Amino acid sequence: MSTPDTIVHLVRHGEVHNPEGVLYGRRDGFHLSVRGRAMADRVAEALQGNDITVIRSSPLERAQETAAPLAAALRLEVGAEPRVIESANRFEGLTFGKGNNALRNPLLWRHLYNPYRPSWGEPYKAIVERMMAAVHDARRDAAGHEAVLVSHQLPIWTTRLAAERRSYLHDPRKRQCTLCSVTSFGFAGEELVEISYAEPAIDLIPTGDIAAPFSAGDAPEENRPEGTPPE
């Protein structure tokens, strides 16, 4: 196998202050919690010794705030990259806590008929196309060095599934993409030759939240995510 000459790191944002347990999706106004900011600092500590020349982020606040400590440590600007934004979702804005799980509403079940597409949101293929376009632009701009793209769980995980030629159909609880995790794509020229994964902030994530498909930081127990809301 060829040795990578350029690496693009896909970083998931940190824990979000979300006491109501809302599936926030692309909504504005959802910022990192205190613990989420500590997670972002941890990522900065883990990556600041790398040869990073490009940092770009989803336009959503939680991603921008996750990118900020690393950018400050490396004295780089955070570029806006709308192609790595969260996936669109018909359930955005609904709550999925134990006492108020939107999936109990039969009126919403009509959106769940096709998990392969998926029928409740942005097609997986469309997510991968925009994500890989952003990855390859970052690869070209950081040629011979490393780049960071701060994104969201489902876009990162779907892109990894595609890169590994795996099925898009999956259990959200089994995604290997925890808060502030780093999924790294190593390229030899234009060819993807290596994929690696790291969890620099894993010890900061509450045990019950490790498998959660979205962050509900600071939420009381009754508002924490229940089951597997589509995301």
Side-chain angles (χ1 to χ4, degrees), residues 21-27 87-96 101-114 118-122 214 228-231:
V22 174
L23 182 63
Y24 34 72
R26 293 180 173 179
R27 293 190 166 203
S87 56
N89 193 306
R90 293 180 184 272
F91 297 106
E92 181 179 306
L94 301 179
T95 57
F96 290 86
N101 191 328
L103 288 182
R104 294 198 184 103
N105 183 351
L107 295 177
L108 300 177
W109 295 350
R110 62 191 175 91
H111 298 304
L112 302 174
Y113 66 89
N114 185 356
S119 51
W120 56 82
E122 183 179 8
F214 68 96
T228 55
E231 186 204 18

Side-chain angles (χ1 to χ4, degrees), residues 44 48 68-76:
Q48 65 184 352
L70 178 61
L74 297 178
R75 299 183 180 180
L76 294 172

Side-chain angles (χ1 to χ4, degrees), residues 116-197:
Y116 290 92
R117 184 180 183 272
S119 51
W120 56 82
E122 183 179 8
Y124 292 133
K125 183 178 179 181
I127 296 172
V128 171
E129 287 176 351
R130 63 176 170 83
M131 286 289 292
M132 286 307 299
V135 166
H136 281 293
D137 279 355
R139 172 189 59 77
R140 283 187 287 268
D141 292 341
H145 306 280
E146 300 178 34
V148 168
L149 298 176
V150 183
S151 185
H152 308 267
Q153 188 191 65
L154 182 58
I156 294 172
W157 181 242
T158 306
T159 303
R160 179 174 171 183
L161 290 177
E164 295 178 341
R165 298 190 172 117
R166 295 160 62 186
S167 171
Y168 291 137
L169 188 62
H170 66 278
D171 182 341
R173 296 167 297 183
K174 296 181 180 180
R175 295 172 186 159
Q176 191 180 40
C177 190
T178 58
L179 294 166
C180 274
S181 59
V182 183
T183 301
S184 303
F185 286 6
F187 292 90
E190 299 181 359
E191 182 184 2
L192 177 62
V193 296
E194 181 178 282
I195 298 174
S196 61
Y197 177 77

Side-chain angles (χ1 to χ4, degrees), residues 7-9 11 47 52 54-57 70 146-150:
I7 300 174
V8 179
H9 304 284
V11 176
L47 294 179
I52 294 167
V54 172
I55 301 177
R56 292 172 184 159
S57 171
L70 178 61
E146 300 178 34
V148 168
L149 298 176
V150 183

